[in-house]
Amino acid sequence: MSRIIFVLLATLMALSVGAQCAGKETIFVETQEQRDKRMAWWREARFGMFIHWGIYSVPAGVWDGKEVPGIGEWIMHHAKIPVAEYAKLAGRFNPVKFDAQAWVKLAKEAGMKYIVITSKHHDGFAMFRSAVSPFNIYDATPFKRDPLKELAEACRKYDIKLGFYYSQAQDWHHPGGAAAGGHWDPAQDGSMDDYIRDIAVPQVREILSNYGPVAIMWWDTPVDMTKERADMFLPLLKLQPGIIVNNRLGYYDGDFGTPEQEIPPEALSTDWETCMTINDTWGYKSTDNNWKSTTTLVRNLIDIVSKGGNYLLNVGPTSLGEIPEPSVQRLKEIGAWMKVNGEAIYGAGKGPFSNVGFDGRCTAKGNKLYLFVFNWPDNGEITVPNLRAAPISARFLDGSPIEVTELPGTEERTGLAISAPEKPDPIATVIELTYAEKPTP
Ligand code: JFZ
């Protein structure tokens, strides 16, 4: 994404975050208990799959024979492709290898508990059968199927929550849709209020009405959004009781913050979710092979949960409907680690320590602490920061024998030394400490 656009969006998001800080109205009128009940599954889930899929996967980052810098789903914007020219991509989009059940099973295998998929991104192309605009996958492509309906069915079959991303302000196809940095084709000009009334609101009504239970509404880039424009979407949320919404509608707080491609340095007191790519692009780019290692991805998840957040990790399927093999490989490897250690992630949150004192992290869940050791010290031993009480039991989640030494403490404080297992996990070794009651610093 060009620097100017990024700064513009960052300003927008900062303003929207500022709106949070300014204590703008919340979307849902509810008690704290009602909110906690509504958010409970999301706070338990901790880990989800983001899917950015659209006709931008056809050029896959290359236009007129040249690679277009930036994230793949912004190719129309970055290459300033005229609306009519870009729309021709729909006729070339026929993802015959799309298999919704395979995607959902892969998310499950990775240990992911929810999926958020782009129903319409900034390019205005609807990835669902929309009666509102013919610029959609069912009517404008040879595919003639509705992948969101197939995905919704697969999510219900395999018990994984489904959420929809919808670009409610930016739409580079329909007249009046916003474009960060301004329009580049007169065909984009028009009334934004008319666009929201005639396209965006009716399409959001479609995705919240026609696909069964929708657990998350993931708005994006509130360009030129006002309270009045945001208010036009609020009644639609009643179509999905219990739905959780992010902070990117515009004006309103939303239920959770959305740091993007970054992990906050400290724990946050509100609900938040880091969204991140496995390489550097959300939408598929044939030229982007800068894949993060599985170790990095798992340690990101651990770091995020140790600060009380969720991790929404993205895949960008190809124009044939396949998730790139490097993503599949990493998700399976993440799943293998989660199979052994997931209980230290699901429903866990910030631990009692400001600094764990070793190369790793700590999460907490009820009367248990989980220590994640990334790299063991040369002496093969870590010491656990002092707490008011010693644990009543300790174990490695991978079942290795554990050696714990109680260190001389004071009346109020007790310390522990834990020796490395024979074969430490190269990604992270996890130690469970169980206390008589919730441990406090
Ligand atoms: C937005 C989209 O533009 C992008 O294509 C992708 O869908 C991502 C998940 O969300 O990207 C952003 C949004 C906000 C900022 C930067 C990129 N920002 O606040 O700097």
Side-chain angles (χ1 to χ4, degrees), residues 1 5-14 50 52 56 71-74 118 121-122 165 167 170 172 218-222 248 258 260-261 275-277 282-283 314:
M1 182 178 299
I5 299 300
F6 191 89
V7 169
L8 188 71
L9 288 174
T11 310
L12 264 171
M13 297 302 289
F50 214 172
H52 277 68
Y56 39 74
I71 44 186
E73 69 284 3
W74 274 67
T118 51
H121 206 269
H122 307 331
Y165 165 112
S167 176
Q170 289 206 78
W172 307 325
W218 219 95
W219 312 105
D220 197 17
T221 60
R248 295 190 181 184
T258 54
E260 174 163 329
Q261 301 286 36
C275 56
M276 194 178 282
T277 53
W282 303 94
N314 183 74

Side-chain angles (χ1 to χ4, degrees), residues 35 89-90 117 128-129 211 220 225 230 245 255 270 289 383 421:
R35 170 174 163 72
L89 292 171
I117 187 168
F128 60 97
R129 185 173 188 177
Y211 297 89
D220 197 17
M225 283 299 285
V245 300
D255 290 313
T270 53
N289 291 295
T383 53

Side-chain angles (χ1 to χ4, degrees), residues 133-282:
S133 165
F135 195 48
N136 72 72
I137 190 165
Y138 190 91
D139 295 313
T141 78
F143 192 51
K144 296 280 175 273
R145 285 159 55 183
D146 184 336
L148 297 199
K149 194 159 288 280
E150 296 175 32
L151 192 67
E153 286 161 4
C155 283
R156 287 193 293 274
K157 178 174 180 180
Y158 293 101
D159 188 27
I160 195 161
K161 298 271 189 190
L162 176 63
F164 290 139
Y165 165 112
Y166 189 87
S167 176
Q168 76 282 3
Q170 289 206 78
D171 187 313
W172 307 325
H173 176 84
H174 298 96
H183 294 153
W184 58 89
D185 181 337
Q188 296 169 318
D189 296 341
S191 155
M192 185 167 177
D193 291 324
D194 291 354
Y195 160 74
I196 289 179
R197 184 192 64 229
D198 301 336
I199 301 289
V201 165
Q203 283 195 325
V204 172
R205 182 178 293 111
E206 287 184 310
I207 61 174
L208 296 184
S209 303
N210 303 337
Y211 297 89
V214 178
I216 298 162
M217 191 68 218
W218 219 95
W219 312 105
D220 197 17
T221 60
V223 176
D224 298 337
M225 283 299 285
T226 60
K227 178 181 187 303
E228 291 68 33
R229 287 170 175 163
D231 285 347
M232 293 169 76
F233 293 95
L234 298 190
L236 303 175
L237 299 175
K238 295 185 174 71
L239 293 164
Q240 292 288 339
I243 195 166
I244 290 171
V245 300
N246 74 356
N247 69 337
R248 295 190 181 184
L249 172 59
Y251 183 79
Y252 289 96
D253 292 349
D255 290 313
F256 61 90
T258 54
E260 174 163 329
Q261 301 286 36
E262 60 177 12
I263 299 170
E266 305 293 335
L268 304 178
S269 58
T270 53
D271 290 299
W272 59 280
E273 171 192 77
T274 278
C275 56
M276 194 178 282
T277 53
I278 297 181
N279 50 8
D280 293 324
T281 178
W282 303 94

Side-chain angles (χ1 to χ4, degrees), residues 285-432:
K285 275 187 91 172
S286 58
T287 55
D288 182 342
N289 291 295
N290 186 27
W291 305 100
K292 299 173 181 74
S293 70
T294 301
T295 295
T296 295
L297 297 169
V298 174
R299 291 182 179 180
N300 283 346
L301 174 61
I302 294 165
D303 185 26
I304 286 165
V305 175
S306 77
K307 294 166 179 170
N310 281 25
Y311 195 27
L312 188 63
L313 188 58
N314 183 74
V315 295
T318 67
S319 61
L320 284 179
E322 293 181 303
I323 295 173
E325 188 49 35
S327 294
V328 171
Q329 177 198 342
R330 283 154 180 78
L331 289 175
K332 289 184 174 177
E333 290 169 353
I334 293 169
W337 186 89
M338 287 292 280
K339 202 166 183 176
V340 174
N341 304 293
E343 67 185 277
I345 297 291
Y346 300 127
K350 182 180 177 312
F353 309 120
S354 53
N355 176 353
V356 287
F358 55 83
D359 181 9
R361 297 293 185 273
C362 173
T363 64
K365 184 161 63 176
N367 65 334
K368 294 178 185 295
L369 294 185
Y370 296 96
L371 308 180
F372 302 80
V373 184
F374 295 161
N375 297 293
W376 288 83
D378 292 343
N379 68 357
E381 181 178 89
I382 60 162
T383 53
V384 181
N386 292 344
L387 282 168
R388 294 182 184 284
I392 52 179
S393 67
R395 69 185 177 106
F396 286 120
L397 289 190
D398 68 5
S400 304
I402 193 165
E403 188 184 328
V404 182
T405 312
E406 203 162 318
L407 299 174
T410 65
E411 276 307 307
E412 295 76 36
R413 286 286 185 271
T414 170
L416 294 177
I418 299 174
S419 303
E422 193 173 332
K423 290 184 182 170
D425 185 316
I427 295 178
T429 303
V430 185
I431 300 156
E432 176 196 76

